Amino acid sequence: MKQMEPPLLPRRDIEALIADGAMIFILDQFVIKANAWAPYHPGGDMAILHMIGRDATDEVTALHSAETKQLMLSRYRIGRIQGRWTNFTPPIQGGKFRSLSDAESKYDSASSDESRGASLVFDSDSSTLRHRRGKAPSSLASVTSVSSTEEDDSMAHLDTVTHEKITLDLEKYPALDYATQDAIVAKYRLLNERIIAEGLYRCNYRAYGIEAIRISLLFICMLLALHWGRYGVSGAFMGAVWQQLVFIGHDAAHMGITHSFHIDTCIGIFIGDYLGGLSIGWWKRNHNVHHIVTNAPEHDPDIEYLPFLALSHRFFGSLRSTYYNHVMKYDAVAKIAVKFQHYSFYPLMTIGRFNLYRLAWYYLLSSQPPRKGPAWWHWYLEMLGQLFFWTWYGYLILYKSIPTTSGRLAFFLVSHMITAPLHVQFTVSHFAMSTADLGPSESFPQKMLRTTMDVDCPQWLDFFHGGLQFQVIHHLFPRVPRHNLRKVQKMVMQFCDEMGIPYALYGFVNGNQRVVGKLAEISRQAAILAKCQEAMAVGLVH
């Protein structure tokens, strides 16, 4: 039986539904209500929350299989729209919505300030920026003390810097008008069709066979060095094994190997949990949000490292993280750490794996893993994997195979510290790029190109970077198998030339220099802020 065409929903009715708690987004001109689907979503509900009120067609297409997309369209659509959809700002990002019971006024919601969050592009009032730093507007309005005035004055410099960064992006990248952004989206979708037509979504299994041989040889070298009592050397080989395994786990979590949800997820769990002690479920929840709100200081967990690192001057205002649901306090510890962050960056990367253990267990012991739907059993498989990992690594190798405490310590520390280049690779493609918010009118492809950069390297070094050097391509087309990214890169470069979008491509050394330079710049801004606050404090005393 032919499915009945859903009704046409006016924008005002959609806004009212969102105001009443509906998780609504637009997909291929259809109105999707995702409330019933959110508890079953393997990637968690946070990614959905950032799509409410938006046309999520490109994000859904990029991150999901055609079967999943069709499932959403068939089961969860409640209506359709006509013409171009103008994005709301999602509630989680500060968007405000009115229900039908609210006092009516004749207005076009597409241009209404009431139906969107404050934009850092168009709202020049500095108090707007401060509202987004984890404080409710009502509390700001009620405070009239000298300390509040001092804080407002001290933040004026940061507001100025914010607008300067936005202005630079607006000058560098295509305009945000509808015609320009729609042209970019249309060209991007044509490019995706071309990639499909040329078979670049098909996996190169021969390449994975070569990788399996490489990883097996590294593991054998680890066992030989362990047998010969060279515990530091053995630990280095163990770290190299983990580095290579992470690349495959990353592919599997994006369904880039078999494109089957359960098969690729099981591959990811085997690699992440059983062989690496990391949670693939945590990674999916975290990484999906990162792909949608890339480099957004309030929303992207991959750049939220206070008190140790500040990737934007906006962190000085103690932003509230929507992902972790707490205020990232710019306190005394953060002020000291940020002062030296361009020196501490690489040492911090050597202990990055320990933080991943912490995040994995926080996720697995929380209520975040899906307990319903197709992924209900993944949590049990992951918990079994964690037990397996700490049995073979912690008991059989560290405890049973190494007789001395110094040897155990050497193996343990070296195996973890040797993965530092991997953590640098994860960060280098984003840390030096823009963290400015250009508002809901910016298209998905332009935002990915503005917040991500590629690392240039010869093809023979691809095994070392594991596809992470093609982060621009990966963010635009996350499910394209890693071994095809170099071919897609040429297509994306042509796309950028045609659309007038800068394509960020730097060598590994140059990319690292840009990251350290960015960290140093933020550190200098922190010093300027501290001097301003000190001068104002002295002025108030006198």
Side-chain angles (χ1 to χ4, degrees):
M1 181 182 295
K2 185 177 181 181
Q3 191 171 6
M4 186 179 297
E5 186 78 2
L8 188 66
L9 288 181
R11 181 179 178 84
R12 182 68 182 91
D13 290 356
I14 293 174
E15 179 188 0
L17 287 170
I18 295 173
D20 293 337
M23 300 171 68
I24 286 179
F25 57 84
I26 308 302
L27 177 60
D28 286 340
Q29 297 296 101
F30 289 103
V31 180
I32 305 297
K33 183 180 178 183
N35 296 66
W37 179 52
Y40 300 88
H41 187 218
D45 62 350
M46 190 65 66
I48 300 173
L49 293 175
H50 284 288
M51 287 292 97
I52 293 178
R54 297 177 58 89
D55 186 335
T57 301
D58 293 316
E59 289 87 344
V60 170
T61 302
L63 291 167
H64 298 82
S65 66
E67 293 77 16
T68 300
K69 182 178 175 180
Q70 188 57 44
L71 177 68
M72 281 186 267
L73 287 172
S74 62
R75 288 191 183 179
Y76 304 112
R77 65 182 184 181
I78 61 171
R80 56 190 172 88
I81 63 169
Q82 274 187 341
R84 188 191 194 282
W85 177 259
T86 302
N87 288 331
F88 288 122
T89 297
I92 194 173
Q93 298 179 14
K96 301 181 186 302
F97 297 82
R98 299 188 311 168
S99 66
L100 291 177
S101 61
D102 292 337
E104 284 290 346
S105 61
K106 297 293 184 181
Y107 77 101
D108 177 9
S109 62
S111 61
S112 169
D113 288 340
E114 266 189 271
S115 299
R116 64 174 175 83
S119 168
L120 297 183
V121 183
F122 305 109
D123 299 327
S124 58
D125 182 3
S126 62
S127 65
T128 292
L129 302 178
R130 286 187 285 279
H131 290 174
R132 300 182 65 155
R133 296 191 175 106
K135 297 186 177 183
S138 58
S139 65
L140 287 173
S142 64
V143 176
T144 58
S145 65
V146 173
S147 61
S148 177
T149 303
E150 179 182 342
E151 180 183 355
D152 286 353
D153 291 340
S154 66
M155 288 299 177
H157 169 71
L158 299 184
D159 296 342
T160 300
V161 175
T162 295
H163 284 291
E164 288 176 351
K165 297 293 185 183
I166 291 171
T167 300
L168 288 173
D169 277 0
L170 291 174
E171 292 174 349
K172 185 177 181 180
Y173 289 87
L176 298 177
D177 63 272
Y178 297 152
T180 301
Q181 293 300 309
D182 288 351
I184 292 172
V185 168
K187 194 75 173 179
Y188 166 71
R189 293 176 183 177
L190 286 174
L191 177 58
N192 186 51
E193 291 178 7
R194 179 185 169 192
I195 292 171
I196 294 172
E198 296 192 14
L200 295 177
Y201 274 97
R202 290 199 293 268
C203 184
N204 182 353
Y205 293 111
R206 179 177 177 275
Y208 280 114
I210 295 173
E211 293 200 11
I213 294 173
R214 182 190 306 122
I215 293 171
S216 298
L217 290 174
L218 289 171
F219 192 78
I220 291 171
C221 289
M222 182 274 291
L223 293 176
L224 288 173
L226 185 68
H227 177 71
W228 293 330
R230 307 296 184 183
Y231 303 124
V233 175
S234 181
F237 280 115
M238 184 74 260
V241 168
W242 282 337
Q243 182 206 34
Q244 294 295 306
L245 286 173
V246 162
F247 301 146
I248 303 177
H250 180 253
D251 299 341
H254 275 294
M255 294 188 299
I257 300 178
T258 69
H259 299 304
S260 166
F261 170 67
H262 284 302
I263 295 177
D264 278 0
T265 299
C266 287
I267 292 173
I269 290 175
F270 176 71
I271 289 172
D273 293 86
Y274 285 74
L275 301 183
L278 308 179
S279 168
I280 206 69
W282 161 80
W283 184 91
K284 280 191 175 185
R285 178 181 174 85
N286 180 95
H287 202 65
N288 286 347
V289 174
H290 163 68
H291 268 264
I292 291 172
V293 287
T294 309
N295 268 24
E298 302 99 326
H299 313 302
D300 184 358
D302 277 11
I303 66 167
E304 295 178 346
Y305 293 105
L306 275 184
F308 305 108
L309 297 172
L311 277 301
S312 167
H313 62 279
R314 294 178 58 211
F315 284 107
F316 305 157
S318 295
L319 296 174
R320 172 172 287 279
S321 167
T322 58
Y323 185 85
Y324 294 110
N325 194 28
H326 67 76
V327 175
M328 299 174 286
K329 294 182 180 179
Y330 187 62
D331 54 18
V333 175
K335 290 176 182 178
I336 295 173
V338 169
K339 184 178 181 180
F340 302 101
Q341 65 178 6
H342 44 302
Y343 300 111
S344 64
F345 171 65
Y346 291 111
L348 285 172
M349 293 300 102
T350 64
I351 58 174
R353 193 172 184 88
F354 297 110
N355 186 48
L356 297 183
Y357 291 144
R358 178 186 67 86
L359 292 169
W361 279 106
Y362 179 84
Y363 167 81
L364 290 170
L365 298 179
S366 72
S367 60
Q368 294 176 354
R371 303 299 172 87
K372 302 177 180 180
W376 69 268
W377 52 275
H378 293 174
W379 179 83
Y380 298 95
L381 192 61
E382 285 204 76
M383 292 301 291
L384 184 62
Q386 292 294 322
L387 177 64
F388 181 86
F389 171 77
W390 289 109
T391 298
W392 76 260
Y393 176 77
Y395 179 71
L396 294 179
I397 291 184
L398 280 179
Y399 182 72
K400 293 290 289 184
S401 301
I402 303 176
T404 64
T405 300
S406 60
R408 291 168 184 160
L409 193 62
F411 183 91
F412 180 74
L413 291 178
V414 172
S415 65
H416 285 75
M417 293 172 66
I418 206 71
T419 62
L422 176 65
H423 298 286
V424 172
Q425 286 174 296
F426 276 121
T427 60
V428 72
S429 293
H430 297 292
F431 278 18
M433 299 302 289
S434 174
T435 58
D437 177 7
L438 298 190
S441 60
E442 184 177 29
S443 64
F444 172 74
Q446 178 168 311
K447 184 175 182 179
M448 295 303 102
L449 287 159
R450 183 174 59 84
T451 56
T452 310
M453 77 175 186
D454 274 358
V455 173
D456 193 20
C457 74
Q459 189 168 353
W460 65 270
L461 261 180
D462 283 354
F463 81 94
F464 176 77
H465 294 283
L468 299 181
Q469 75 272 36
F470 300 116
Q471 281 292 295
V472 170
I473 319 302
H474 173 65
H475 270 253
L476 290 171
F477 307 103
R479 293 182 300 106
V480 169
R482 182 201 341 156
H483 304 99
N484 296 334
L485 292 177
R486 186 173 286 276
K487 295 178 182 178
V488 177
Q489 184 184 52
K490 297 177 181 178
M491 300 180 185
V492 173
M493 287 180 170
Q494 182 182 358
F495 162 80
C496 289
D497 287 340
E498 293 174 358
M499 304 311 301
I501 304 176
Y503 182 90
L505 177 65
Y506 301 94
F508 189 66
V509 174
N510 194 0
N512 275 266
Q513 289 173 340
R514 289 178 62 84
V515 169
V516 174
K518 174 75 171 289
L519 293 172
E521 177 192 352
I522 302 300
S523 181
R524 287 192 296 270
Q525 291 171 357
I528 293 172
L529 175 63
K531 289 181 180 178
C532 290
Q533 292 174 331
E534 183 179 346
M536 284 185 292
V538 172
L540 288 172
V541 171
H542 295 289

